Amino acid sequence: MLLCSALALTACSGTETAAPAHNPDSSTLAAATAKARPSNDATTVSAADLCGYLRGRLPALRAIDSDVGRMGNLTVNLYSWYEKQGAVPTGAQIDDQTQKECPDIRAELLKISGMQSFATL
């Protein structure tokens, strides 16, 4: 339900979405579906890459004037970013990586989004 709310909130926030593929055949569709399928293997995305991404998102998140809006924006954009990387970890895995690599960025993101941890995403 949180993800649905986040999607609804960010739909008007200017986040970009990819255009649908033009008439894919069944093999193209199957390959795309397999590639988009989330994985719980966060080890394919380095903590340094994650922290760099989060650091870059901070200015946009600071500009949103509500905790719920920031959380929704962060949820959608972080999920999209991870999907492009080929891995969608759990919130606990994100917490582990950010606690070790960039605790200052993690603390600010959680504070401005009104969250206790990334596990709430």
Side-chain angles (χ1 to χ4, degrees):
M1 183 155 141
L2 179 59
L3 184 55
C4 291
S5 298
L7 289 172
L9 288 170
T10 59
C12 298
S13 69
T15 57
E16 295 182 23
T17 58
H22 179 68
N23 296 327
D25 63 23
S26 61
S27 62
T28 304
L29 185 57
T33 303
K35 183 177 180 182
R37 194 171 297 129
S39 163
N40 285 332
D41 184 10
T43 60
T44 60
V45 177
S46 76
D49 288 345
L50 170 60
C51 290
Y53 172 75
L54 293 174
R55 186 175 293 109
R57 292 292 312 144
L58 274 172
L61 292 170
R62 288 181 191 128
I64 298 171
D65 63 354
S66 77
D67 289 355
V68 173
R70 286 186 289 269
M71 185 191 312
N73 187 285
L74 179 62
T75 300
V76 170
N77 287 296
L78 187 58
Y79 181 83
S80 294
W81 180 79
Y82 268 118
E83 249 188 345
K84 290 175 187 171
Q85 308 305 310
V88 180
T90 65
Q93 290 168 316
I94 297 171
D95 279 327
D96 288 344
Q97 285 188 306
T98 55
Q99 284 173 337
K100 293 174 187 169
E101 183 72 22
C102 55
D104 54 333
I105 300 296
R106 177 184 183 274
E108 183 173 355
L109 281 171
L110 294 177
K111 181 179 179 182
I112 68 172
S113 299
M115 299 185 305
Q116 298 296 315
S117 75
F118 284 102
T120 58
L121 296 179

